[in-house]
Amino acid sequence: MKRALIIGVTGQDGIYLAEHLLELGYKVYGVRRPSTIPEASQRRMKEYNNDIFEQITWIYADLADGSSLRRSIEISQPDYIYNLGAQSHVRLSFEVPEYTADINAVGFVRLLDAVRALHAEKNVSIYQASTSEMFGNSSTKYQNLSTPFNPLSPYASAKLYAHNVGLNYAKSYGMKIRLGILFNHESPLRGTNFVTRKITRAVANRSVHGVKKALKLGNLDSRRDWGYAKEYVQAMNLILEKGVESEYIVATKSHESVRSFLEKAYSVVGINISWEGKGVDEVGICSSTGDVIIKIDPWFYRPNELDYLCGDFSKIKHELGWEPKTTLNELIELMVQSDIYKAKATIV
Ligand code: NAP
Ligand code: GDD
């Protein structure tokens, strides 16, 4: 039986990846962080599918603590390690830049050195969750492995450090390290402080509970290449086990603005939006009731914005046969319907 250790298993991708690996017959070990309220980080997985929670062998560890990473490797004796653990919020990385660097950059070095300290570098294959944020605002229509990196945030800078260290250690010590550069991917399990889920939850709360308060957002005109997280974890598994190169891009090769995502999400419940005003004074108005349902709050602006991302996934398609299947319209529909279901479940 193949053994996989997942760091970041309680996050969106970790939950889907654990589900996928369990379905493939792996023994899955999951890292959880010590917490005074353990239910908080486990709730997402338990509500989605309690069987996943029950089937994982849990180990307490933290990317800030090298000794705990060594211990987690000793306990799990993994064939595969997936490092999905991160402070993954770009806007918040400007609030906690040192912490973001410690976890997202140095944390990966701690993990690699834990593997080396146990002389396991020839036995373990390691996946690192790299990101399209590393490209920054490039001048190309599609970002691919020839596009220069130009990180715009502490988050992206830390991820690029980890990415480069992954390449260094693979070359220096002959370690099998695979770097998946994933573009944005969303799902009903997405954290509620990322823009897509923040929107779909607000749509559901307005539709089910009649919440009247306007949704406050930041920049509506940035464009992202949004795919479905459940499909992206399958790409991670292929990259780690079948990938012959160090780096792969996972994306949909299409892009949409936050504004367009929002309009599509509200249209699922029959709400059309018209726009008035400019900049921080712009508002989104419900065309049928005249209510202001969207406002701009500059707090959600970033000190440095990434305006456009659109990834070229041709390499993973040709080499590993992976390609995206779910369209953005389908993804929006399934996220809104999931949030409507959850909102109805809270009515007693
Ligand atoms: P997520 O939902 O924010 O999950 C992050 C995970 O990392 C959680 O399990 C979290 O645990 C864990 N974590 C945080 N700090 C940690 C620490 N100090 N030690 C160990 N674990 C820690 O993120 P996601 O969307 O699933 O993304 C997974 C990975 O892919 C992240 O590294 C992210 O940066 C990267 N990525 C994501 C996307 C995307 O669009 N989703 C795109 C490219 C790359 P708690 O539950 O305890 O907080
Ligand atoms: N979070 C958030 N909240 N973003 C907003 C808001 C808001 O209220 N209003 C507008 N936005 C804009 C952001 O400025 C950004 O341009 C876009 O919506 C997407 O923001 P997020 O959903 O926070 O995602 P992200 O693109 O910054 O980062 C995600 O994708 C990266 C891959 O490209 C995260 O998952 C990262 O961890 C990941 O690496």
Side-chain angles (χ1 to χ4, degrees):
M1 188 185 253
K2 292 178 183 172
R3 302 159 76 89
L5 173 66
I6 305 177
I7 300 163
V9 73
T10 52
Q12 169 188 257
D13 293 2
I15 296 170
Y16 286 128
L17 179 64
E19 180 182 46
H20 183 56
L21 297 181
L22 288 166
E23 280 167 5
L24 293 175
Y26 287 61
K27 172 114 180 108
V28 175
Y29 292 82
V31 160
R32 61 179 158 190
R33 296 194 284 165
S35 159
T36 45
I37 311 172
E39 297 81 11
S41 69
Q42 294 161 15
R43 191 178 305 127
R44 221 184 329 178
M45 178 184 286
K46 284 182 166 178
E47 284 178 1
Y48 171 63
N49 184 345
N50 195 51
D51 287 349
I52 302 173
F53 183 83
E54 298 292 340
Q55 288 178 63
I56 289 174
T57 302
W58 290 95
I59 303 170
Y60 282 109
D62 195 302
L63 284 162
D65 180 342
S67 64
S68 72
L69 296 171
R70 273 199 301 283
R71 203 177 127 266
S72 67
I73 296 165
E74 278 174 326
I75 292 170
S76 58
Q77 298 288 313
D79 303 298
Y80 303 100
I81 300 176
Y82 290 87
N83 181 30
L84 313 183
Q87 189 303 95
S88 75
H89 200 283
V90 176
R91 168 73 185 82
L92 295 182
S93 76
F94 288 95
E95 308 283 326
V96 288
E98 276 183 41
Y99 174 75
T100 302
D102 190 38
I103 302 309
N104 297 9
V106 183
F108 188 48
V109 179
R110 289 190 188 102
L111 176 65
L112 296 178
D113 281 338
V115 172
R116 292 191 62 227
L118 294 167
H119 307 291
E121 57 265 60
K122 297 284 183 280
N123 310 330
V124 188
S125 303
I126 302 163
Y127 176 90
Q128 165 64 6
S130 290
T131 168
S132 50
E133 282 281 320
M134 300 186 311
F135 291 120
N137 284 317
S138 67
S139 54
T140 52
K141 188 170 178 193
Y142 303 115
Q143 290 80 56
N144 60 28
L145 292 171
S146 308
T147 309
F149 293 129
N150 176 27
L152 300 177
S153 63
Y155 167 80
S157 301
K159 282 285 187 176
L160 181 55
Y161 176 91
H163 187 91
N164 284 332
V165 161
L167 294 172
N168 299 156
Y169 273 51
K171 204 159 196 160
S172 307
Y173 306 119
M175 297 171 80
K176 184 175 167 191
I177 300 170
R178 296 288 177 262
L179 305 154
I181 305 176
L182 272 55
F183 283 61
N184 296 52
H185 44 280
E186 319 295 312
S187 76
L189 298 182
R190 186 57 141 152
T192 50
N193 57 352
F194 296 93
V195 77
T196 57
R197 183 78 199 290
K198 184 173 168 182
I199 292 169
T200 60
R201 198 170 65 150
V203 169
N205 284 337
R206 178 166 287 273
S207 163
V208 175
H209 296 304
V211 170
K212 289 269 184 264
K213 208 168 157 210
L215 174 65
K216 291 183 180 169
L217 293 168
N219 178 10
L220 302 181
D221 295 314
S222 56
R223 305 186 76 87
R224 290 291 183 273
D225 177 333
W226 279 300
Y228 183 23
K230 205 167 176 170
E231 294 170 1
Y232 282 40
V233 302
Q234 297 174 10
M236 292 179 188
N237 178 238
L238 285 172
I239 290 169
L240 186 56
E241 293 203 22
K242 306 266 183 332
V244 286
E245 310 271 344
S246 303
E247 301 158 279
Y248 288 87
I249 281 179
V250 181
T252 72
K253 211 174 181 185
S254 56
H255 57 89
E256 205 59 81
S257 66
V258 172
R259 186 187 302 276
S260 168
F261 184 101
L262 187 147
E263 289 170 351
K264 287 170 186 279
Y266 277 91
S267 76
V268 172
V269 297
I271 295 176
N272 291 320
I273 299 176
S274 55
W275 298 98
E276 279 181 17
K278 285 247 174 307
V280 289
D281 297 321
E282 185 170 22
V283 289
I285 296 169
C286 172
S287 303
S288 56
T289 64
D291 292 344
V292 171
I293 60 175
I294 311 293
K295 285 185 179 170
I296 303 300
D297 183 340
W299 194 88
F300 296 108
Y301 287 157
R302 283 144 197 217
N304 206 358
E305 178 63 281
L306 202 174
D307 300 313
Y308 171 87
L309 282 174
C310 188
D312 173 3
F313 64 90
S314 51
K315 179 173 161 179
I316 189 170
K317 182 178 176 185
H318 292 132
E319 288 186 19
L320 304 177
W322 182 93
E323 61 184 319
K325 295 193 174 63
T326 306
T327 65
L328 183 60
N329 285 350
E330 289 165 346
L331 177 60
I332 292 171
E333 174 79 28
L334 80 86
M335 287 178 71
V336 171
Q337 294 303 350
S338 164
D339 275 322
I340 287 176
Y341 178 83
K342 286 176 189 160
K344 284 184 176 162
T346 63
I347 299 172
V348 282

